[in-house]
Amino acid sequence: MLVVLLLAVPAAFYAGSEWQARSSEQRTETFEQMQVQADEQARELDELRQRVAVASSGEQLAHQSNEQSRQTIKLLEEHNFKQQQELAFYKGVLAPDSKVNGLLIRSFDIHPGESAGGYRFKLMLSRIGKDDKPLQGRLNVQLEGSLNGKVKSLPLNQLSGDLPEGSTDKAIPFAFKHLQAIPDGGRLGELRLPAGFVPKRIRIKADVEGGKAVERQIDWTDG
């Protein structure tokens, strides 16, 4: 009986190690497939945006057809962002041994809306490192640019109503364990720039409760 038990221990260890290796390979393969799909969808979105822009300027499409294309773009953008969220999660699973722990301001995506001065946006936060405790704190998101030739900074809260409850000009609350998108629910937020405002960058500062503040500056792009 003792011999059987001694033989069973390394066998069980080997089986467990083999299962972990196979599980890791499956996650890696899933991540790579998702990355390919996301890249292909991003290219399709760019092509569709270009076609709609050309059609709108040249009035080559009927209004109904053009509106259908715009709705298709919106749906594809939302689906693509959900894929990006899943990819970010997989990156955390596949690389949990980061030497840095804390909050990561992952992205601020911006796309033109249907009317002049209107845009759709999505802000995504994630965590890095092994720590599994919930992260919470406040964001200060400012759009920097110029208004009628003068330097101007506008808080995101003044430009959009699609922010978490309790948001102010200098504090947008967040609380999450792995990922958080603003707005949530897989949808894109709407923002409107005032007439004459030319955006240049988005400046984001995150004050994390019990942790270090994180800042990121993102150049404004509307494609």
Side-chain angles (χ1 to χ4, degrees), residues 76-205:
L76 283 173
E77 285 174 344
E78 292 175 353
H79 181 67
N80 183 254
F81 191 82
K82 288 180 181 179
Q83 284 188 321
Q84 295 299 331
Q85 285 181 295
E86 293 175 357
L87 284 169
F89 176 77
Y90 267 90
K91 285 180 181 178
V93 171
L94 293 171
D97 298 326
S98 173
K99 296 180 180 179
V100 181
N101 290 282
L103 180 140
L104 175 65
I105 302 171
R106 184 168 291 277
S107 63
F108 190 105
D109 292 329
I110 189 83
H111 303 290
E114 283 74 30
S115 58
Y119 293 87
R120 293 190 292 273
F121 75 93
K122 179 76 79 169
L123 169 63
M124 191 163 81
L125 310 173
S126 69
R127 75 173 318 127
I128 50 177
K130 291 183 177 180
D131 196 352
D132 204 31
K133 295 179 181 178
L135 288 173
Q136 57 184 3
R138 296 159 301 282
L139 296 171
N140 185 344
V141 183
Q142 303 285 328
L143 272 66
E144 299 180 342
S146 61
L147 181 61
N148 299 323
K150 296 182 179 180
V151 175
K152 183 72 174 178
S153 180
L154 300 173
L156 182 60
N157 188 58
Q158 290 185 10
L159 307 175
S160 174
D162 293 323
L163 300 178
E165 185 177 355
S167 294
T168 66
D169 288 356
K170 294 185 177 181
I172 300 172
F174 66 85
F176 65 96
K177 191 172 183 180
H178 297 294
L179 292 167
Q180 180 169 346
I182 299 174
D184 60 9
R187 60 194 179 89
L188 297 176
E190 303 281 344
L191 69 83
R192 179 164 295 279
L193 301 178
F197 182 76
V198 180
K200 292 184 177 179
R201 67 186 66 88
I202 304 131
R203 190 179 298 276
I204 306 170
K205 180 181 179 182

